Amino acid sequence: MAKATQTKAQSKPTKSSVAKAPAKKPARRRPTQAQPAPSKEELLGFYREMLLIRRFEEKAGQLYGMGLIGGFCHLYIGQEAVVAGVHANALPQDSVITSYRDHGHMLACGMDPKGVMAELTGREGGYSKGKGGSMHMFSREKNFYGGHGIVGAQVPLGTGLAFAHKYNKDGGVCYTYFGDGSVNQGQVYESFNMAQLWKLPVLYIIENNKYGMGTSIQRASSTTELYQRGSAHGIPGAQVDGMDVIAVRDATAKALEHVREGKGPYILEMLTYRYRGHSMSDPAKYRSKDEVSKVRSEQDPIDNLRQMILKTKAADEAALKAIDGDIKAIVTAAADFAKASPEPQLSELYTDILVEA
């Protein structure tokens, strides 16, 4: 799991990994110190976390095929480097909110895989007692405020969480994730305006996996450089190689320097890719198998990190194989727990309706 640590040295992403938005106001673009090279422990931590997300999602797909998970199920396979790299910079007081493609974010926040899998299968051992399913899980303990089934609805909510951080003076930042399919909505720009007007501590993270459901971003957006969408409000942004966990870590560190200094929001556009369809019910016929295969063979975030680990001798094949075995055991235990957990009682229909303020 990603540990909550505060990074003192800030990043300066390479040109190959990050394209900055045009700096209309140079004062916002002051240089930062280079982020230190990742340590052996950090590389292995990234590998373990991304592998946990990958194996968890693969198991969720299997359970869906067996009929143990009903409704909608949106897998995060291929996008693991985004949430792993972002949360390497997280502090305990930070909060997280995202869309319905949310299982990876839960695991990165430190939520128990058993509770997440039990919720997916609609069991009372789940984080929402089996009543929320894939799209509606929360953990107040981990400051995870849910996946949300309404496209883009989490953006104003995340802005509100950022307002709470500022009002309470707790030093927290809200990581607000959303996809390329929601960036053209009015509520997104209303949120941008309010966040910049009030200098709210919010990091907007656009996970651009190139397809909003089955529609290519080129067909849906007149401009596809999404990190510039806040420029009308004076919000700086950067475009990041979301398949490179180190590039994500570094770009996030720089963005957080801006946000934590009270300068207002920042936008990171993560260029990533999902290997599966929009949801488990999507055959993804709108793109070719060759396209998916090419990305997997050339840009897979886990395979590329594995090669980096071996090249730098941070670990050998035997050590990585042992990590894989540990992760498989964790995921198997989560699936077994979910299948053994009973379904919620009918009386649960009338609980958790209201919370006393």
Side-chain angles (χ1 to χ4, degrees):
M1 303 301 175
K3 294 182 179 179
T5 57
Q6 185 171 11
T7 306
K8 294 182 180 179
Q10 300 303 326
S11 67
K12 188 174 183 180
T14 61
K15 291 182 180 179
S16 61
S17 298
V18 178
K20 296 179 183 177
K24 297 181 179 179
K25 296 182 179 180
R28 296 203 311 269
R29 301 292 182 180
R30 66 182 182 81
T32 59
Q33 294 180 347
Q35 183 81 351
S39 65
K40 169 185 174 180
E41 292 74 20
E42 190 173 13
L43 288 174
L44 293 177
F46 281 139
Y47 183 75
R48 176 178 289 273
E49 181 168 48
M50 289 197 293
L51 196 61
L52 172 62
I53 295 172
R54 177 72 59 89
R55 298 289 180 254
F56 183 95
E57 293 290 67
E58 290 172 347
K59 178 61 73 172
Q62 292 175 8
L63 296 182
Y64 188 94
M66 296 167 61
L68 296 176
I69 296 177
F72 292 99
C73 184
H74 307 81
L75 302 182
Y76 201 62
I77 298 174
Q79 300 182 210
E80 298 90 352
V82 174
V83 72
V86 168
H87 285 270
N89 299 278
L91 299 179
Q93 64 267 35
D94 294 341
S95 59
V96 179
I97 192 167
T98 187
S99 67
Y100 40 74
R101 199 177 308 281
D102 52 6
H103 314 150
H105 304 75
M106 298 170 192
L107 297 175
C109 287
M111 292 169 65
D112 189 344
K114 293 181 179 179
V116 177
M117 193 69 84
E119 188 59 41
L120 291 179
T121 54
R123 307 304 176 97
E124 69 175 21
Y127 270 95
S128 295
K129 300 180 183 179
K131 299 183 289 184
S134 176
M135 289 196 244
H136 305 106
M137 267 182 269
F138 301 81
S139 174
R140 289 288 296 274
E141 178 189 5
K142 301 297 183 181
N143 288 334
F144 181 79
Y145 290 90
H148 290 266
I150 304 300
V151 177
Q154 74 276 15
V155 179
L157 293 174
T159 305
L161 288 168
F163 178 84
H165 284 307
K166 184 170 184 176
Y167 184 85
N168 292 323
K169 300 180 181 180
D170 59 16
V173 171
C174 181
Y175 305 116
T176 301
Y177 292 85
F178 55 107
D180 53 286
S182 61
V183 295
N184 296 317
Q185 292 192 12
Q187 61 184 332
V188 172
Y189 297 96
E190 292 174 30
S191 299
F192 285 175
N193 180 64
M194 186 177 293
Q196 178 68 349
L197 183 64
W198 292 344
K199 304 299 182 188
L200 299 182
V202 54
L203 180 58
Y204 294 113
I205 303 160
I206 304 172
E207 298 195 72
N208 181 2
N209 59 29
K210 300 177 178 59
Y211 294 94
M213 294 187 71
T215 303
S216 168
I217 187 172
Q218 282 78 18
R219 296 179 56 216
S221 295
S222 59
T223 59
T224 57
E225 293 181 318
L226 306 181
Y227 67 102
Q228 298 189 27
R229 292 301 182 92
S231 60
H233 305 286
I235 302 176
Q239 192 177 72
V240 188
D241 181 359
M243 305 297 274
D244 181 343
V245 68
I246 305 304
V248 173
R249 179 202 70 160
D250 292 353
T252 303
K254 179 181 178 182
L256 286 173
E257 179 187 33
H258 174 94
V259 177
R260 293 197 194 281
E261 288 181 353
K263 297 179 179 179
Y266 200 102
I267 298 172
L268 290 177
E269 178 192 0
M270 302 293 180
L271 298 178
T272 186
Y273 198 83
R274 55 173 166 80
Y275 297 160
R276 301 290 184 91
H278 173 70
S279 68
M280 285 297 295
S281 60
D282 173 19
K285 293 182 179 180
Y286 42 82
R287 58 186 184 182
S288 68
K289 291 182 179 179
D290 289 342
E291 177 185 313
V292 179
S293 297
K294 181 176 175 62
V295 174
R296 294 198 75 145
S297 63
E298 297 178 1
Q299 301 181 51
D300 186 80
I302 298 177
D303 288 346
N304 287 345
L305 180 61
R306 180 186 180 89
Q307 294 305 314
M308 179 186 295
I309 290 172
L310 294 174
K311 183 177 180 180
T312 59
K313 297 182 179 180
D316 56 18
E317 289 281 4
L320 295 180
K321 186 176 181 180
I323 291 175
D324 199 2
D326 291 343
I327 295 301
K328 287 180 179 177
I330 291 171
V331 172
T332 298
D336 291 343
F337 173 82
K339 288 184 281 189
S341 182
E343 295 183 352
Q345 299 294 319
L346 287 177
S347 58
E348 284 292 339
L349 286 171
Y350 309 99
T351 64
D352 303 316
I353 307 301
L354 295 174
V355 175
E356 293 293 335

